[in-house]
């Protein structure tokens, strides 16, 4: 069966017929509808699950009262956080507007796309948090009836978060594409190229990443400050059970589970999901901009459009199949944690296998098959999806093995608690470090095979390089295509945790707490698995964003040339002369008026470093003023266009070393690496690498210290209440629950600014000082170092947490023993590891990449390197 468009298009050298254009437009509409309807179905299904949860039994009056405390605290926190975030977003949007409308270094749509990305990301977190806080008492009430009913309420409530995230993300992307592709030209405005559309939409990803970082860091600081205060003072010092109503920090702890693990994780995976789709779309449009890749029967525009739409189609199909997987999750009443894991795995694995088949079919019917890249008659890109999805499964399984108390690593870690806090901390750090090797190896293998499948395993042809990176981006889409269900397994964890707290505080029968503890322990594993997905996808997406950054650089050069030409013609419309203009030592543009004399054609050429050998001619070229026309009849000390440039047929030859100049439009990604000397021998790249690695550790230090400072205030407050209100312990006095919530809220708001600014400002500073080469080094350093540290911290924290729960379930004497107290200390250390610093790193990686793409035009034109100062 032939691909969808090949039968109706003429050969590459011929213009498409009217029938071909109509068929192409029909293809765009069908693909867009698949994505849009998938997003719409996700939101509709999320509403159905929410309504079902709301109708469930709310339990006793005491259960509703406790849930009300948590809802009030979570609402107050998010409202305060959003006030800070809104102010920040407005400031950044104004700066982006100045860059777009004042400096004209980026699209005028960028500020608005940035705001919409942040808005939709915030909405996803808000809806998830509202659902989770309403579900805790209902889950506890359901668990009183049976384990399966408790699982159903908690998991379906978590599914609201998962489906809301993917629905809002894909809805925002499809609406922006429809506006830029159809509405803007229909309004009589100049149409945007597909590359311009995708690079503009990437700024939506920057907004989502910025919001995610605030949500994850702020929520992580809140929840871990409360958790540390509740555990250290309540469990260790006072010897009272977890979630005991006598503990003043217990409500703040439950609030933190929702604002950190639900709202924060939702915003985190929202930007991962959106970023993978946007990066792949940008790379697809860029890859087929090269006419040499356009197969017979296609036009370049058709091939670009198909490659752009494929990730949207895969995401849309993934939503439908995620909904199918959610309905498969159920278990028996006497299920063990292994049985519960099997129930969740059944839904995820079957949805994943179905997505793989659907993605292969979509690629077969949609994608152009570049000569030499087909595998078994299928476009190689289709199989890139397989390796992305497989990588997600492997990372998830390994994370489960590394953190679940059903397996030996966590049980052996619990054994080390017998000899005290020091040994369990040492063991947890070592286990976390050791757990890094499988995810790193998995991502490396997935990258090689995703790249190889897309290029027909030709790793040497520079023409295919961008197509290979498109395959890597598609692999990231494949990994996250079932996010609707994988995020449901993540968000369900804190719901089960809160249900256990509700059961404890409302003095429900012990069997209820046993069932919620089983769900909660599973939730810790699934949460770690969700973090593994987020971190793994960050690595693949960041690799794709590196290439997207280079495409942003290309657009920056084009915008520079076009703006200069427009300003030059406007200033001197009467005396303007066609000719060659020098914009910088390595950028030359040929400007010619076309048509009625009002429009123009500006064709930029980049001059490679090897094309500037030391000579008198080159010295004169370097001495020539920038942004000026090369004279036709130069004086003795000048250099003229004829001295430097000659035409030999279609070739433009650079006289100083008699080599061909390559137009900007035909520059490949390896060409850009040569142009910017993006090698390890370039000190700018090395400095960038060190800065990226440094940013990883500085960011972790800032977030860990923030948790420490906030926890210190929490511990002092809880101790004060126990000291000044002795009636708390015998139940004659009620603790002040609001003060700990206020302490965590205030600490989170003040402490989240610094780490967030690091991710936003560092790419701009490095770019303006070191230029494009420095930014490439920065992004690679942050990716490699950040990925390893993120996996280490997330897995170490998850293992410490489940080791504690394993002991609480009866191992080594159970609760109240010295081993239990040592495990609580280990869990306390692990809390900011797994819920603040570790998972925030994957956002930092992608945020820095997104910021770099957005400011690429600014760096190209105004960096110290571009200005010739450095």
């Amino acid at each position: 069966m032939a691909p969808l468009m090949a039968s109706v298009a003429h050969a590459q050298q011929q213009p498409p017929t009217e029938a071909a254009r109509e068929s192409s437009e029909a293809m765009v509409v069908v693909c867009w509808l698949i994505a849009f309807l998938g997003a719409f179905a996700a939101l509709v299904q999320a509403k159905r699950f929410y309504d079902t949860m709301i109708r469930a039994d709310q339990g006793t009056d005491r259960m509703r009262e406790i849930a009300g405390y948590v809802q009030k605290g979570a609402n107050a926190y998010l409202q305060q956080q959003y006030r800070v975030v809104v102010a920040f977003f407005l400031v950044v949007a104004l700066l982006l507007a100045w860059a777009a409308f004042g400096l004209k270094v980026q699209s005028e749509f960028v500020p608005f796309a940035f705001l919409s990305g942040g808005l939709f990301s915030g909405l996803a977190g808000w809806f998830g948090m509202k659902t989770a806080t309403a579900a805790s008492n209902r889950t506890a009430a359901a668990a009183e009836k049976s384990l399966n009913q408790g699982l159903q309420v908690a998991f379906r409530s978590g599914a609201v978060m998962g489906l809301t995230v993917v629905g809002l993300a894909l809805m925002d992307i499809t609406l922006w594409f429809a506006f830029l592709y159809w509405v803007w030209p229909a309004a009589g405005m100049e149409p945007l190229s597909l590359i311009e559309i995708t690079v503009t939409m990437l700024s939506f990803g920057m907004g989502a990443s910025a919001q995610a970082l605030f949500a994850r860091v702020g929520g992580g600081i809140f929840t871990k400050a409360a958790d540390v205060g509740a555990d250290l003072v309540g469990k260790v010092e006072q010897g009272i059970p977890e979630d005991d109503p006598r503990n003043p920090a217990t409500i703040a702890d439950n609030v933190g589970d929702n604002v950190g693990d639900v709202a924060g994780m939702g915003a985190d995976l929202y930007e991962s999901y959106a970023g993978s789709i946007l990066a792949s779309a940008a790379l697809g449009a860029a890859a087929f901009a090269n006419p040499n890749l356009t197969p017979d029967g296609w036009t370049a525009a058709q091939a670009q459009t198909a490659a752009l739409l494929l990730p949207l189609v895969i995401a849309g199909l993934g939503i439908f199949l995620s909904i199918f997987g959610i309905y498969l999750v159920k278990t028996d009443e006497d299920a063990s944690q292994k049985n519960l894991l099997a129930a969740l795995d059944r839904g995820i694995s079957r949805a994943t296998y179905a997505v793989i088949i659907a993605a292969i079919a979509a690629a077969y019917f949609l994608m152009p098959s570049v000569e030499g890249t087909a595998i078994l008659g299928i476009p190689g890109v289709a199989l890139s999806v397989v390796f992305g999805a497989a990588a997600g499964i492997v990372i998830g399984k390994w994370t489960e093995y590394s953190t679940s108390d059903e397996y030996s690593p966590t049980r052996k870690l619990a054994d080390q608690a017998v000899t005290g806090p020091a040994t369990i901390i040492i063991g947890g750090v070592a286990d976390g470090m050791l757990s890094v090797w499988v995810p790193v190896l998995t991502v490396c293998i997935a990258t090689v095979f995703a790249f190889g499948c897309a290029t027909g395993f030709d790793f040497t042809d520079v023409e295919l390089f961008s197509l290979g990176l498109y395959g890597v981006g598609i692999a990231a889409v494949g990994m996250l295509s079932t996010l609707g269900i994988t995020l449901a397994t993540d968000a369900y964890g804190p719901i089960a945790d809160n249900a256990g707290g509700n059961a404890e505080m409302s003095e429900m029968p012990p069997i209820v707490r046993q069932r919620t503890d089983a769900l909660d322990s599973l939730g810790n594993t699934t949460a770690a698995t969700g973090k593994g997905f987020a971190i793994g996808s960050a690595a693949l997406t960041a690799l794709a964003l590196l290439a997207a950054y280079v495409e942003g650089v290309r657009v920056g050069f084009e915008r520079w040339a076009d703006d200069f030409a427009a300003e030059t013609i406007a200033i001197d419309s009467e005396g303007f002369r066609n000719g060659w203009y020098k914009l910088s030592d390595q950028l030359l543009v040929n400007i010619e008026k076309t048509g009625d004399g009002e429009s123009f054609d500006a064709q930029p050429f980049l001059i490679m470093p090897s094309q500037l050998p030391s000579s008198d001619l080159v010295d004169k070229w370097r001495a020539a003023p920038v942004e000026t026309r090369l004279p036709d009849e130069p004086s003795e000390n000048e250099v003229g266009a004829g001295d430097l440039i000659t035409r030999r047929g279609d070739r433009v030859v650079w006289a100083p070393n008699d080599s061909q100049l390559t137009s900007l439009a035909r520059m490949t990604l390896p060409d850009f690496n040569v142009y910017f000397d993006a090698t390890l021998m370039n000190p700018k790249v090395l400095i960038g690498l060190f800065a990226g690695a440094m940013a990883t550790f500085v960011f972790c230090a800032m977030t860990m210290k923030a948790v420490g400072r906030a926890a210190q205030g929490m511990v002092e407050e809880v101790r004060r209440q126990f000291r000044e209100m002795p009636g708390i312990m015998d139940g004659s006095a009620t603790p002040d629950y609001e003060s700990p919530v206020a302490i965590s809220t205030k600490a989170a708001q003040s402490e989240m600014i610094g780490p967030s600014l690091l991710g936003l400002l560092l790419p701009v500073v490095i770019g303006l000082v070191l230029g494009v080469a420095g930014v490439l080094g920065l992004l690679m350093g942050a990716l490699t170092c950040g990925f390893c540290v993120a996996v280490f911290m997330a897995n170490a924290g998850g293992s410490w947490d489940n080791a504690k729960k394993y002991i609480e379930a009866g191992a080594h004497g159970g609760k109240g023993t010295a081993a239990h107290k040592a495990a609580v200390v280990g869990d306390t250390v692990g809390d900011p590891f797994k819920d603040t610093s570790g998972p925030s790193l994957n956002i930092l990686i992608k945020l820095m990449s997104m910021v770099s793409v957005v400011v690429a035009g600014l760096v190209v034109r105004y960096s110290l390197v571009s200005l010739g100062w450095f």
Side-chain angles (χ1 to χ4, degrees):
M1 185 177 295
L4 182 65
M5 293 162 53
S7 63
V8 295
H10 279 289
Q12 176 185 344
Q13 293 81 4
Q14 299 173 331
T17 64
E18 185 64 30
R21 282 193 292 268
E22 290 177 0
S23 179
S24 298
E25 191 62 24
M27 179 273 299
V28 175
V29 172
V30 169
C31 293
W32 183 85
L33 281 174
I34 291 173
F36 178 80
L37 291 176
F40 185 75
L43 298 177
V44 170
Q45 189 62 54
K47 181 65 166 58
R48 289 185 60 187
F49 284 151
Y50 178 82
D51 290 341
T52 301
M53 180 271 296
I54 289 296
R55 289 193 297 268
D57 180 16
Q58 297 186 55
T60 64
D61 290 341
R62 177 61 174 163
M63 293 168 70
R64 290 196 294 271
E65 179 187 6
I66 293 167
Y69 287 139
V70 176
Q71 289 172 348
K72 181 180 177 182
N75 285 334
Y77 170 77
L78 280 188
Q79 287 173 5
Q80 180 61 33
Q81 175 177 283
Y82 287 162
R83 290 191 190 100
V84 175
V85 171
V86 165
F88 171 83
F89 264 71
L90 290 176
V91 171
V92 174
L94 288 174
L95 292 174
L96 292 174
W98 172 65
F101 294 98
L103 298 178
K104 297 183 179 180
V105 294
Q106 61 193 24
S107 169
E108 290 81 358
F109 298 110
V110 164
F112 307 104
F114 170 76
L115 290 174
S116 77
L119 173 65
F120 277 72
S121 177
L123 284 175
W126 177 268
F127 289 140
M129 183 275 297
K130 295 287 284 187
T131 303
T133 54
S136 60
N137 57 309
R138 292 170 170 84
T139 300
E144 186 175 20
K145 301 179 179 69
S146 72
L147 178 65
N148 186 51
Q149 289 190 45
L151 173 66
Q152 292 299 319
V153 173
F155 182 69
R156 297 287 174 86
S157 300
V160 174
M161 173 86 266
L163 293 174
T164 300
V165 164
V166 296
L168 287 175
L170 195 54
M171 182 70 71
D172 197 9
I173 292 171
T174 54
L175 291 178
W176 264 106
F177 177 80
F179 174 77
L180 296 174
Y181 188 79
W182 285 307
V183 177
W184 185 251
M189 303 299 180
E190 183 179 354
L192 279 70
S193 70
L194 291 174
I195 292 179
E196 288 176 321
I197 289 175
T198 55
V199 171
T200 298
M201 289 170 63
L202 275 170
S203 57
F204 147 71
M206 174 184 166
S209 296
Q211 161 61 24
L213 193 61
F214 276 113
R216 181 49 106 176
V217 172
I221 292 170
F222 184 107
T223 184
K224 293 306 109 182
D227 204 357
V228 169
D231 284 355
L232 286 183
V233 182
K235 286 185 181 180
V236 178
E237 295 181 8
Q238 299 296 329
I240 58 179
E242 185 175 7
D243 298 314
D244 193 296
R246 294 172 293 177
N247 192 330
T250 191
I251 293 295
D253 187 13
N254 282 269
V255 170
D257 289 336
N258 290 286
V259 300
D261 293 340
V262 177
M265 175 56 84
D268 178 353
L269 284 167
Y270 179 100
E271 66 92 25
S272 296
Y273 183 76
S276 67
I277 296 171
L278 293 168
S280 300
L283 287 177
F288 288 99
N290 183 352
N292 295 331
L293 293 185
T294 306
D296 291 341
W298 294 72
T299 66
Q302 287 174 331
Q304 283 183 287
T305 306
L308 185 157
L309 291 171
L310 180 61
L312 276 71
V313 171
I314 293 173
L317 295 173
I319 288 176
F320 289 114
L321 295 170
S322 293
I323 294 171
F324 160 74
I326 289 169
Y327 280 102
L328 297 178
V329 177
K330 52 188 174 182
T331 188
D332 298 328
E333 302 307 330
D334 58 348
S336 66
Q337 190 186 48
K338 186 168 287 187
N339 298 137
L340 291 172
L341 276 170
L344 294 178
D345 182 66
R346 180 170 56 248
I348 293 174
S349 60
R350 292 184 183 179
T352 301
Y353 299 145
V355 164
I356 289 173
I357 295 171
I360 291 174
Y364 177 74
F365 286 108
L366 186 62
M367 280 295 294
S369 183
V370 178
E371 183 179 356
T373 65
I375 300 175
L376 300 176
I378 300 171
V381 169
L383 300 182
S384 298
V385 178
V386 177
F387 288 99
I393 292 173
V394 172
I395 290 174
K397 291 291 186 183
W398 175 255
T399 305
E400 177 185 320
Y401 173 78
S402 301
T403 60
S404 173
D405 62 19
E406 291 283 342
Y407 299 100
S408 60
T410 298
R411 293 191 173 190
K412 289 180 179 178
L413 183 62
D415 294 342
Q416 293 180 277
V418 175
T419 52
T423 50
I424 195 172
I425 290 173
I426 293 170
V429 169
D431 286 347
M433 289 180 173
L434 186 61
S435 71
V436 168
W437 76 272
V438 169
V440 169
L441 188 62
T442 300
V443 167
C444 291
I445 293 173
T447 299
V448 170
F449 278 93
F451 188 102
C453 286
T455 61
F457 290 92
D458 186 343
F459 295 95
T460 59
D461 189 345
V462 296
E463 297 277 358
L464 298 174
F465 194 82
S466 58
L467 186 61
L469 289 175
Y470 175 64
V472 175
I474 287 292
V477 175
M479 183 183 288
L480 292 173
S481 56
T482 55
L483 186 62
I485 184 171
T486 54
L487 182 51
T489 65
D490 195 332
Y492 129 91
I495 293 173
D497 191 4
N498 269 220
N502 192 291
E504 181 80 35
M505 296 180 72
S506 57
E507 300 178 348
M508 296 185 72
I511 186 63
V512 179
R513 185 62 198 240
Q514 291 175 22
R515 289 169 178 168
T516 58
D517 279 352
L519 296 175
D520 181 24
S521 183
L522 173 63
N524 284 326
T525 301
T526 57
T529 302
K531 294 180 181 73
F533 264 82
I535 295 167
S537 69
L540 292 176
T541 302
L543 282 172
L545 284 170
L546 274 171
Y549 172 63
V550 175
E551 293 305 322
V553 169
R554 187 198 304 272
V555 172
F557 277 123
E558 290 174 349
R559 188 173 294 278
W560 185 2
D562 289 342
D563 288 344
F564 172 76
E567 290 174 4
T568 302
I569 293 173
I571 292 171
D572 190 13
S573 58
E574 296 296 330
F576 175 82
R577 289 179 294 166
N578 294 342
W580 292 91
Y581 288 76
K582 174 185 176 180
L583 298 191
S584 73
D585 284 351
Q586 288 187 255
L587 178 59
L588 190 65
V589 59
N590 185 36
I591 304 175
E592 296 181 358
K593 279 190 177 182
T594 59
D596 57 4
E598 297 297 326
S599 57
F600 61 87
D601 176 38
Q603 188 177 16
F605 291 81
L606 298 183
I607 305 170
M608 296 294 183
S610 61
Q611 293 177 310
L612 293 172
S614 179
S615 65
D616 292 340
L617 187 58
V618 170
D619 290 341
K620 287 183 179 181
W621 160 254
R622 292 186 182 278
V626 298
E627 299 195 346
T628 57
R629 184 178 185 276
L630 296 177
D632 296 323
E633 298 179 1
S635 64
E636 183 178 348
N637 295 323
E638 291 182 321
V639 63
D643 298 326
L644 295 167
I645 302 153
T646 59
R647 288 191 179 272
R648 297 175 187 171
D650 293 334
R651 300 173 63 215
V652 177
V653 177
W654 179 249
N657 69 341
D658 196 34
S659 61
Q660 182 176 347
L661 284 177
T662 304
S663 68
L664 178 66
R666 290 184 173 273
M667 290 278 287
T668 64
L669 290 175
D671 287 337
F672 278 107
N673 287 338
V674 174
Y675 179 81
F676 290 110
D677 189 20
T679 67
L680 294 179
M681 301 302 291
N682 185 346
K684 300 182 185 71
V685 175
L686 281 175
I687 294 170
L689 280 167
F690 278 113
M694 172 208 70
T696 298
F697 288 95
V698 171
F699 179 86
C700 289
M702 294 172 75
T703 51
M704 295 279 284
K705 281 181 172 292
V707 171
R709 285 190 292 267
Q712 184 177 6
M714 183 67 68
V715 168
E716 291 172 353
E717 170 61 20
V718 176
R719 285 174 175 169
R720 182 194 67 78
Q721 291 199 33
F722 278 120
R723 184 175 62 251
E724 297 180 4
M725 293 187 285
I728 289 178
M729 289 300 293
D730 60 19
S732 61
T734 301
D736 174 11
Y737 296 127
E738 293 187 1
S739 293
V741 172
I743 288 172
S744 269
T745 299
K746 182 179 179 181
Q749 300 309 311
S750 60
E751 299 281 5
M752 71 180 182
I753 301 295
S756 301
L757 287 178
L758 176 69
L760 287 162
L761 294 180
L762 190 58
V764 180
V765 173
I766 292 293
L768 290 177
V769 175
L770 300 177
V772 172
V775 174
L776 288 171
L778 172 75
L779 298 182
M780 189 53 66
L783 169 60
T784 52
C785 184
F787 176 61
C788 293
V789 174
V791 173
F792 150 61
M793 299 186 85
N795 286 351
S799 187
W800 272 317
D801 196 349
N802 276 335
K804 178 197 70 174
K805 283 185 166 52
Y806 180 63
I807 292 174
E808 289 176 342
H812 304 301
K815 295 181 180 180
T817 62
H820 179 233
K821 290 183 178 181
V824 170
V825 174
D827 178 41
T828 303
V829 174
D831 277 336
F833 267 50
K834 70 181 176 64
D835 290 326
T836 307
S837 300
S840 297
L841 276 174
N842 78 80
I843 308 175
L844 178 74
I845 293 168
K846 284 173 288 185
L847 176 62
M848 291 171 67
S849 300
M850 291 287 188
V851 172
S852 299
V853 173
V854 171
V855 302
L858 181 69
V859 171
V860 162
R861 197 163 180 177
Y862 294 107
S863 70
L864 297 183
V865 175
S866 299
L867 296 175
W869 295 2
F870 182 64

